[in-house]
């Protein structure tokens, strides 16, 4: 049996180089706006990485940072301003916002053509209607990995474990639209351990270190682990990899695909704005 790594590092590198080549040839003045709030360490690291990669590709990037005590209205006001500012092709709000801010309300103010992180209600609605414009970057990154490795989804059974607004829920709809037969499991699902072996593809995004055990799998399944927990640990027990036909390592699988997908969508948003 083949045991192939779904190499997100290499696949994302290829995608980033493609975007860079496009803007080397046709430079743009349009920018990406990243809004971040508070002092979450992870968020600061991610914002910095996104800014660096964006600038590497030739896309200017401005980070608008608010202190932890910022009001929801401050963020809403900025999103409204950026929405009609032609200098900015894309707007993204770094998740998570502090608890006192209604995060989804802020996401929903981003117009679909600038929603490069794909988290607004409108973007989700377009995906559900089969008119996807922009999708949540991690979900899109996983779809791009399937594509890069010619893994066909048509008619295949997929178990999506996790149904968050950021990953599991939109991804389950995207998989369905791509022709897969999708089952969604979550924290209330009964007998998860017995279910896993029945699916060709198992995707996990729950945020619980190695909760999905190696002995839940059978030989030859495709394992995609979006989990990223303290100590570089995924949501799937890494001993499961040896049984898989294809698998994403943690780190170096799904993670790198997220930023590359954000930049891919920003590049498309620039096209939209420049051709308005
Ligand atoms: P989240 O918002 O906390 O959602 C977790 C989901 O997992 C929920 O749907 C929850 O079910 C389900 N769940 C929790 N415990 C479960 C259990 N014991 N059995 C089955 N389902 C369970 O998390 P998220 O934002 O989707 O993130 C999930 C993971 O992906 C995290 O490790 C995160 O770090 C990672 N992630 C990585 C990237 C990246 O770029 N690499 C980006 C985003 C997220 P209920 O809905 O029933 O509560």
């Amino acid at each position: 049996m083949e045991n192939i790594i779904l190499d997100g590092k290499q696949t994302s590198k290829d995608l980033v180089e493609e975007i860079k080549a496009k803007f080397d040839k046709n430079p743009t003045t349009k920018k990406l706006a990243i809004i971040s709030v508070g002092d979450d360490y992870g968020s600061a690291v991610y914002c910095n990485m996104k800014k660096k990669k964006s600038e590497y590709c030739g896309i200017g990037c401005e980070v608008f940072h608010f202190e932890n005590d910022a009001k929801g209205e401050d963020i809403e006001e900025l999103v409204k301003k950026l929405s009609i500012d032609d200098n900015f092709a894309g707007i993204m709000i770094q998740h998570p916002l502090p608890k006192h801010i209604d995060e989804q309300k802020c996401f929903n103010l981003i117009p679909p053509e600038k929603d490069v992180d794909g988290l607004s209600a409108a973007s989700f609605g377009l995906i559900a209607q089969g008119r996807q414009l922009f999708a949540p970057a991690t979900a899109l990154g996983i779809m791009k990995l399937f594509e890069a490795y010619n893994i066909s989804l048509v008619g295949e059974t997929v178990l999506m474990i996790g149904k968050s607004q950021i990953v599991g829920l939109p991804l389950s709809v995207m998989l369905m639209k791509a022709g897969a037969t999708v089952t969604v499991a979550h924290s209330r699902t009964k007998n998860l351990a017995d279910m896993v072996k029945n699916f060709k593809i198992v995707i996990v995004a729950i945020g619980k270190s190695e909760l999905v055990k190696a002995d839940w799998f059978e030989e030859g399944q495709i394992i995609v682990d979006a989990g990223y927990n303290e100590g570089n640990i995924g949501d799937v027990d890494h001993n499961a990899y040896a049984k898989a036909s294809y698998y994403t390592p943690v780190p170096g699988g799904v993670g790198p695909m997220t930023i590359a997908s954000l930049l891919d969508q920003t590049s498309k948003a620039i096209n939209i704005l420049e051709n308005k």
Side-chain angles (χ1 to χ4, degrees):
M1 185 200 69
E2 283 193 295
N3 181 242
I4 297 171
I5 298 176
L6 297 169
D7 185 346
K9 246 185 179 168
Q10 188 57 49
T11 310
S12 65
K13 224 184 227 170
D14 296 346
L15 185 55
V16 164
E17 288 306 321
E18 227 175 83
I19 300 166
K20 178 176 161 40
K22 175 182 156 185
F23 290 111
D24 280 349
K25 205 164 149 210
N26 291 308
T28 183
T29 57
K30 305 298 179 195
K31 292 185 284 186
L32 166 66
I34 301 180
I35 302 173
S36 78
V37 187
D39 47 15
D40 182 81
Y41 175 73
S43 287
V45 172
Y46 287 132
C47 286
N48 206 17
M49 278 163 66
K50 286 169 187 173
K51 183 174 162 64
K52 266 199 181 149
K53 270 275 153 65
S54 178
E55 289 172 348
Y56 173 77
C57 288
I59 304 169
C61 176
E62 239 173 89
V63 177
F64 298 85
H65 182 73
F66 290 84
E67 295 304 322
N68 209 39
D69 58 357
K71 294 193 186 75
E73 295 86 68
D74 300 335
I75 319 300
E76 290 168 30
E77 195 114 315
L78 176 61
V79 174
K80 283 181 193 161
K81 244 175 64 190
L82 293 169
S83 298
I84 52 169
D85 184 339
D86 276 350
N87 292 305
F88 291 94
I91 306 168
M92 69 146 296
I93 301 170
Q94 182 63 45
H95 164 82
L97 293 184
K99 291 266 182 298
H100 67 277
I101 297 176
D102 183 345
E103 185 175 82
Q104 193 62 56
K105 188 177 176 196
C106 297
F107 291 153
N108 290 352
L109 288 170
I110 304 173
E113 67 279 8
K114 290 194 177 187
D115 184 22
V116 289
D117 213 19
L119 294 171
S120 70
S123 292
F124 182 65
L126 289 171
I127 292 170
Q129 289 183 344
R131 303 171 191 216
Q132 180 178 324
L133 182 57
F134 296 134
T138 304
L140 180 64
I142 291 171
M143 296 300 280
K144 282 185 179 296
L145 267 180
F146 287 136
E147 204 185 301
Y149 284 83
N150 293 318
I151 295 174
S152 172
L153 296 164
V154 180
E156 302 297 353
T157 54
V158 181
L159 177 62
M160 176 72 239
I161 312 180
K163 62 167 171 61
S164 73
Q165 210 65 47
I166 307 276
V167 189
L169 182 63
L171 182 53
S172 66
V173 178
M174 289 160 77
L175 292 159
M176 216 188 299
K177 292 286 169 188
T181 301
V182 184
T183 299
V184 180
H186 45 79
S187 66
R188 303 293 189 89
T189 299
K190 291 176 184 163
N191 303 324
L192 184 61
D194 297 330
M195 280 173 76
V196 167
K197 62 176 180 302
N198 299 319
F199 297 83
K200 168 91 184 272
I201 302 171
V202 180
I203 308 176
V204 190
I206 57 179
K208 300 267 152 74
S209 295
E210 300 200 337
L211 183 131
V212 179
K213 304 297 176 212
D215 63 4
W216 298 3
F217 292 92
E218 278 191 350
E219 297 276 325
Q221 288 182 275
I222 298 172
I223 305 175
V224 175
D225 187 354
Y228 190 62
N229 307 292
E230 224 181 301
N232 278 347
I233 294 173
D235 289 341
V236 179
D237 176 355
H238 65 278
N239 292 308
Y241 298 167
K243 284 184 171 175
S245 53
Y246 294 84
Y247 69 95
T248 56
V250 178
V254 173
M257 294 303 295
T258 300
I259 295 185
S261 297
L262 168 74
L263 294 176
D264 184 53
Q265 297 197 126
T266 304
S267 152
K268 291 197 175 106
I270 290 171
N271 278 355
I272 294 173
L273 188 58
E274 286 180 341
N275 294 306
K276 204 165 70 166

